Amino acid sequence: MQHRTVFEVMTHDVVTAAPETSFKEIARLFADHDVSAVPVVDADRRLLGVVSEADLLRSTAELPDLEGRWAGVRLLSQERGLPDAETAAQLMTSPALTAQANWNLVETARTMQRKAVKRLPVTDETGRLVGIISRSDLLRPFLRSDTAIRDEIEHNVLADTLRLAPDTIRVTVDDGVVRLTGRVAERADIRVIVRLCRSVDGVVALHESIEYAYDNLALDAEPPR
């Protein structure tokens, strides 16, 4: 039993820009392909950085309004001796945060949450771009059918991993919500069952009403004779 990987849900056909792609061409890529960021790659598809809508907006934020007033008090690019950002190489954020194709979706989601990013370019061991994964891609496992979720819990978790006898635990799934009933020998077993079943991709929530013969979590409990 294991989580789905980035490779299984990522977008493989990625819209990219070259270092020399112009500001206007990047804006057109966003509009034509309905994306909000593009990886910047060299001739060998090695990832150089990422240009997002935020990068384009940052480049225009220093411009005056229609009445000639400047926003903010920070120095303009020209006053700092920097050139106007005209190409992807000048606009991009670099180095870019990346993911690996063999990452599972849990660690990928945690990385995106921790770094507050909406997407991650996916690279191979040589740094070449092989795909891109977005927040919406991470939600794909929740489109799994209830039948597929139930089958994975019954066969992969309860039978193959935990080696429980058939009908020890009964499983129902409704709109991704799992309910477990049955009876086990020790109370501590319930924790393990719940943890493994909850980790199955596509499970929205889990409720259990599992009985036990022996409370091995109680300090003064007597083992069954």
Side-chain angles (χ1 to χ4, degrees), residues 35-39 50-53 97-98 112 116-121 132-135 137:
V35 296
S36 58
V38 291
V50 174
V51 178
S52 68
E53 289 175 332
L97 293 171
T98 62
M112 294 173 70
V117 295
K118 297 179 180 179
R119 68 200 66 79
L120 288 172
I132 193 166
I133 186 166
S134 66
R135 290 175 177 175
D137 295 325

Side-chain angles (χ1 to χ4, degrees), residues 14-31:
V14 185
V15 178
T16 63
E20 65 274 12
T21 303
S22 70
F23 185 116
K24 194 167 185 177
E25 288 175 305
I26 294 170
R28 188 174 293 115
L29 286 174
F30 290 169

Side-chain angles (χ1 to χ4, degrees), residues 58-225:
R58 188 179 304 115
S59 180
T60 61
E62 294 179 336
L63 297 177
D65 62 21
L66 294 178
E67 297 180 1
R69 294 174 300 193
W70 297 95
V73 296
R74 64 191 180 94
L75 293 176
L76 302 178
S77 296
Q78 298 92 326
E79 294 174 348
R80 297 197 304 268
L82 300 175
D84 285 331
E86 300 177 8
T87 65
Q90 296 168 325
L91 290 160
M92 68 185 184
T93 298
S94 180
L97 293 171
T98 62
Q100 298 293 308
N102 62 351
W103 283 10
N104 67 53
L105 300 190
V106 172
E107 63 182 319
T108 306
R110 288 173 178 169
T111 298
M112 294 173 70
Q113 179 73 15
R114 186 171 62 252
K115 300 296 185 179
V117 295
K118 297 179 180 179
R119 68 200 66 79
L120 288 172
V122 184
T123 57
D124 64 16
E125 62 277 1
T126 68
R128 287 186 174 87
L129 183 74
V130 295
I132 193 166
I133 186 166
S134 66
R135 290 175 177 175
S136 61
D137 295 325
L138 296 177
L139 295 177
R140 289 186 189 178
F142 292 102
L143 300 177
R144 298 182 72 198
S145 70
D146 291 339
T147 299
I149 295 171
R150 187 186 68 244
D151 287 348
E152 182 170 347
I153 290 175
E154 289 179 340
H155 299 125
N156 294 20
V157 178
L158 301 179
D160 295 344
T161 301
L162 297 176
R163 303 292 184 181
L164 294 177
D167 299 326
T168 299
I169 301 295
R170 292 176 293 280
V171 183
T172 61
V173 185
D174 184 16
D175 279 344
V177 178
V178 176
R179 289 176 172 80
L180 305 177
T181 58
R183 183 179 176 85
V184 295
E186 299 182 347
R187 184 181 179 187
D189 294 339
I190 300 175
R191 290 183 176 180
V192 178
I193 293 170
V194 168
R195 177 171 56 82
L196 293 179
C197 292
R198 184 66 183 85
S199 69
V200 169
D201 287 332
V203 173
V204 174
L206 186 146
H207 306 281
E208 60 86 8
S209 300
I210 303 174
E211 299 177 348
Y212 52 89
Y214 167 51
D215 187 357
N216 57 339
L217 298 180
L219 295 179
D220 57 351
E222 288 288 338
R225 296 180 181 277

